[in-house]
Amino acid sequence: GNVMIKMPAIHPHVKICDNVVGHTLEFRDAAISERAHDAMVKAAKALAATGYELFTNASLRDEVMKEYKEKVPQYQDTSIEPF
């Protein structure tokens, strides 16, 4: 299922090359490049910093939850248990 209907989440995209379509041999080759490695390290650090900020900043967590509750439709599917 989609966790984003139950809690705030992100789905980041990382650019590892130019003008290459995913799921191709060209993308495979790009994925093992130094540029791809550098991009993934940078993205991992950014994601870790985001997580750290959310874990250590209660007011930011409250702000994120407030925005989530205001902007994300609430589904009435009773088969999905709430937190």
Side-chain angles (χ1 to χ4, degrees), residues 2-81:
N2 186 349
V3 71
M4 293 179 188
I5 66 171
K6 300 304 291 177
M7 65 185 339
I10 62 173
H11 186 156
H13 293 262
V14 179
K15 185 174 182 175
I16 64 166
C17 57
D18 296 312
N19 303 317
V20 175
V21 177
H23 306 285
T24 63
L25 294 176
E26 293 80 12
F27 187 82
R28 178 204 60 194
D29 294 341
I32 61 172
S33 70
E34 189 67 27
R35 177 180 173 182
H37 179 266
D38 292 345
M40 292 307 300
V41 169
K42 185 183 233 181
K45 288 178 180 180
L47 192 56
T50 301
Y52 177 81
E53 187 70 19
L54 285 165
F55 280 126
T56 61
N57 187 332
S59 63
L60 178 60
R61 283 193 311 274
D62 292 343
E63 183 181 332
V64 168
M65 285 305 297
K66 180 179 182 288
E67 182 176 331
Y68 173 80
K69 289 177 181 178
E70 290 172 354
K71 294 187 176 183
V72 176
Q74 299 300 303
Y75 297 94
Q76 300 301 316
D77 185 347
T78 57
S79 67
I80 300 173
E81 293 293 323

